[in-house]
Amino acid sequence: MHNLINQIHCELLPQIQLESLEPHNPIVVHYLPQPWQLLGIGNYAAVVSHPDYGNLVVKIYAPGRPGFEEEVEVYRRLGQHPAFSECFYAGQGFLILKRLQGVTLYDCMHRGIKILPSVIRDIDQALHYARSVGLNPHDVHGKNLMIAQEKGLVVDVSDFLKLEACSAWEDLKRAYYCFYLPVLSRLPMRFPYRLLDLIRAVYRFYRRAWRRDLD
Ligand SMILES: Nc1ncnc2c1ncn2[C@@H]1O[C@H](COP(=O)(O)OP(=O)(O)O)[C@@H](O)[C@H]1O
Ligand SMILES: [Mg+2]
């Protein structure tokens, strides 16, 4: 771990180039030094791994994006729980987290991997636990959820200190039981990313139109 922290300070942070173009869209990674690998991006941060530390990831906030201290506090409250990652170290603007070896629900739709009802129940239980330690699940959507060994995991907890209500998970569950389970899951369908992003854009439009919570 000590070595990893050194490499982050000496190699990764001085060279990586991240930019947040719009707050409601994923950040852009302009440059990532060797041998780091990009595992994913979100609206706040990039998540990378080093081949010598396969069980860990480094989540680096893009310059100017808020929420780093809050995410550290969320992980402090969550402690150890099988449905969440765990924070082992927090430096300036970056966290070292347990790697979750799974596929996001978003990528499951793209790759045609079936999402079982037990996954939805796992996530419900995980969110129940988060509430029991004083957190408010927020922004729980397909890119922030994963399936690993058929278990549902919550990969992104960065907004769990926000106080306002968020209907994303209830909306996703409704879509799962109304459309996905009875219809889509029976078809051998893969969704192109462009279609998934269109669904996301239409969902955001309607949520805003109904003046419901949306950050
Ligand atoms: N602990 C982790 N293990 C493996 N992959 C992760 C982990 N955390 C994040 N990722 C990947 O990186 C992506 C972006 O991370 P996320 O925490 O959602 O960032 P943001 O807070 O910017 O939305 C996720 O969708 C996921 O693909
Ligand atoms: Mg995210």
Side-chain angles (χ1 to χ4, degrees):
M1 177 75 80
H2 186 68
N3 260 342
L4 178 64
I5 297 167
N6 265 343
Q7 296 199 38
I8 293 171
H9 281 294
C10 299
E11 291 167 18
L12 182 61
L13 294 181
Q15 294 187 63
I16 191 169
Q17 285 172 24
L18 305 177
E19 192 182 1
S20 166
L21 297 173
E22 297 153 342
H24 294 304
N25 275 317
I27 65 144
V28 179
V29 181
H30 293 298
Y31 180 74
L32 181 66
Q34 291 283 346
W36 296 88
Q37 289 156 356
L38 185 66
L39 291 184
I41 50 171
N43 293 357
Y44 297 91
V47 174
V48 302
S49 70
H50 189 289
D52 295 344
Y53 302 89
N55 295 324
L56 301 173
V57 301
V58 186
K59 178 168 179 176
I60 310 162
Y61 273 68
R65 293 302 281 139
F68 164 73
E69 281 89 6
E70 287 83 352
E71 182 158 5
V72 176
E73 170 62 14
V74 170
Y75 274 116
R76 196 192 62 75
R77 292 198 200 175
L78 286 176
Q80 284 183 320
H81 185 281
F84 295 99
S85 179
E86 199 182 325
C87 181
F88 299 118
Y89 181 86
Q92 274 208 328
F94 73 90
L95 299 96
I96 300 180
L97 303 173
K98 177 176 82 182
R99 181 167 180 175
L100 301 175
Q101 309 269 6
V103 182
T104 64
L105 297 197
Y106 180 78
D107 286 333
C108 285
M109 297 292 288
H110 176 71
R111 287 156 61 169
I113 300 172
K114 290 231 175 351
I115 303 165
L116 300 174
S118 61
V119 166
I120 304 297
R121 287 195 294 271
D122 292 340
I123 293 163
D124 258 335
Q125 279 173 14
L127 300 181
H128 183 77
Y129 167 76
R131 282 189 205 94
S132 77
V133 294
L135 296 168
N136 181 27
H138 201 103
D139 215 24
V140 180
H141 56 66
K143 285 187 185 177
N144 287 340
L145 299 167
M146 268 187 179
I147 301 180
Q149 283 140 10
E150 300 199 346
K151 295 256 182 293
L153 309 176
V154 183
V155 71
D156 184 6
V157 295
S158 52
D159 284 329
F160 280 27
L161 279 182
K162 285 195 176 165
L163 294 175
E164 67 264 40
C166 176
S167 64
W169 173 240
E170 290 306 315
D171 293 340
L172 195 151
K173 256 197 320 194
R174 202 171 305 131
Y176 177 87
Y177 287 113
C178 292
F179 302 117
Y180 180 84
L181 201 55
V183 186
L184 299 182
S185 70
R186 292 167 196 269
L187 308 170
M189 259 177 88
R190 289 159 187 250
F191 290 79
Y193 281 126
R194 260 193 287 179
L195 178 60
L196 292 173
D197 289 336
L198 180 70
I199 294 171
R200 174 174 167 264
V202 170
Y203 168 66
R204 289 186 72 88
F205 175 82
Y206 276 102
R207 226 166 104 184
R208 191 165 283 151
W210 285 99
R211 302 180 61 78
R212 297 175 72 183
D213 55 282
L214 197 59
D215 51 28

